Amino acid sequence: MLTIAQITDLHVTTDKDPLNQQRNEERLRQVMRAIHELRPRPVAIVASGDLVDRGEREEYLELERLMAESEIPIFYAVGNHDSREGFLSVFSGPGAQTDANGYIQYAVDFGPMRMVVCDTLEGPNHGDYDEARAAWLAETLDAEPNKPTAVILHHPPIPSGIQWMDPDPDSPWIGRLAQVLKGRDQVQVLMCGHIHRAFTGLFAGHVLSAAPATSIQLTLDLTEVDMHVPDGREILVEEPPAFALLMCHAGHLTTHTCQAGDYTPAVTYNFPFRTLA
């Protein structure tokens, strides 16, 4: 059995924004401590976008400082708050690879499974996946048609029900991505971020699992919203920082949602689960 931890929506920033700098750094540290305490320890951590808040080089230097403490290799994807230029000015190597067109996307093999990181960055909020990126993904998936694969992307291509954050289901990039993924049965799960809240669904015949944020979470409000008329509703809430865990066991990929923090044990293993025959 091996595991990979997913963190997302870190929103690391600088002292230009002292409140969010302190809060988001402490929440990230809680999550990283929790991941390092897992048994077995994950073989990797994937950070699936919105690594920083404004896409500035100074923020990526802060992120580099924080991640330098990790004893586990970290792989990165970018989200709508990120800047490819800013990110690549600080990060390089196996966890920050680019394709031939300069998009931050790559594949990594972990023994019995494969992780494919996609770049959906485009514009201020919603994602994109153009023809060049889609062609890269098709070629990459075709290279290993039989290995259990997790596809990582920042933007979920399905609605969460939190309407002010949800994509237009008719967006061309969503149809383009679905075309690539349909029928590629080695893809067992798509792992996303962006919504700052855990949810699951189906996309192009595959399970989609969106992870909660290390930074503050989105309030779960599924009511109608007028995108042009603010109504005072709560949109973010200080629920505990959290992450996702991908498990590969016997050729099957399974995801868990995990809260970070110190909790009192409720029950301990003092009696056998099974009696000897």
Side-chain angles (χ1 to χ4, degrees), residues 224-258:
E224 295 288 330
V225 61
D226 187 329
M227 300 290 280
H228 305 287
V229 181
D231 59 10
R233 70 178 61 202
E234 177 188 285
I235 58 174
L236 289 158
V237 59
E238 290 210 38
E239 291 180 1
F243 62 99
L245 189 71
L246 175 67
M247 179 184 75
C248 178
H249 181 62
H252 299 286
L253 304 184
T254 302
T255 60
H256 298 262
T257 300
C258 314

Side-chain angles (χ1 to χ4, degrees), residues 9 46 94 140 145 149 157 197 229 260:
D9 297 278
V46 58
T140 300
T149 299
R197 177 164 291 280
V229 181

Side-chain angles (χ1 to χ4, degrees), residues 256-272:
H256 298 262
T257 300
C258 314
Q259 286 190 344
D262 296 320
Y263 302 99
T264 303
V267 179
T268 57
Y269 181 23
N270 296 325
F271 302 97

Side-chain angles (χ1 to χ4, degrees), residues 6-13 20-21 23-29 31-32 45-53 62-64 66-67 74-77 81-82 91 154 194 196 212-216 242:
Q6 179 199 7
I7 60 177
T8 195
D9 297 278
L10 289 59
H11 290 275
V12 169
T13 189
N20 282 314
Q21 181 189 36
R23 177 171 58 192
N24 293 351
E25 178 174 331
E26 177 51 34
R27 290 172 68 93
L28 176 58
R29 286 185 181 279
V31 165
M32 294 297 285
I45 298 169
V46 58
S48 60
D50 282 4
L51 308 171
V52 302
D53 203 46
E62 282 292 294
L63 177 65
E64 181 185 44
L66 293 169
M67 296 295 98
I74 303 174
F75 297 85
Y76 296 97
H81 280 256
D82 290 306
F91 290 90
H154 181 69
H194 187 57
H196 288 232
T214 67
S215 61
I216 51 180

Side-chain angles (χ1 to χ4, degrees), residues 40-92:
R41 178 175 279 190
V43 299
I45 298 169
V46 58
S48 60
D50 282 4
L51 308 171
V52 302
D53 203 46
R54 296 185 298 273
E56 297 173 353
R57 174 178 166 80
E58 292 75 18
E59 292 179 317
Y60 289 110
L61 290 170
E62 282 292 294
L63 177 65
E64 181 185 44
R65 175 182 65 83
L66 293 169
M67 296 295 98
E69 301 174 12
S70 178
E71 299 173 3
I72 302 170
I74 303 174
F75 297 85
Y76 296 97
V78 288
N80 48 286
H81 280 256
D82 290 306
S83 155
R84 293 187 193 96
E85 182 180 1
F87 172 77
L88 293 171
S89 74
V90 175
F91 290 90
S92 60

Side-chain angles (χ1 to χ4, degrees), residues 101-156:
N101 295 297
Y103 294 117
I104 299 166
Q105 46 184 24
Y106 51 94
V108 186
D109 287 304
F110 297 99
M113 66 154 290
R114 196 175 200 219
M115 179 176 76
V116 177
V117 174
C118 298
D119 180 336
T120 59
L121 170 57
E122 202 68 48
N125 191 43
H126 297 305
D128 197 6
Y129 212 62
D130 60 19
E131 293 287 356
R133 281 176 273 189
W136 174 89
L137 180 58
E139 182 180 353
T140 300
L141 292 176
D142 286 345
E144 287 283 1
N146 300 312
K147 181 170 280 195
T149 299
V151 172
I152 312 297
L153 55 161
H154 181 69
H155 295 85

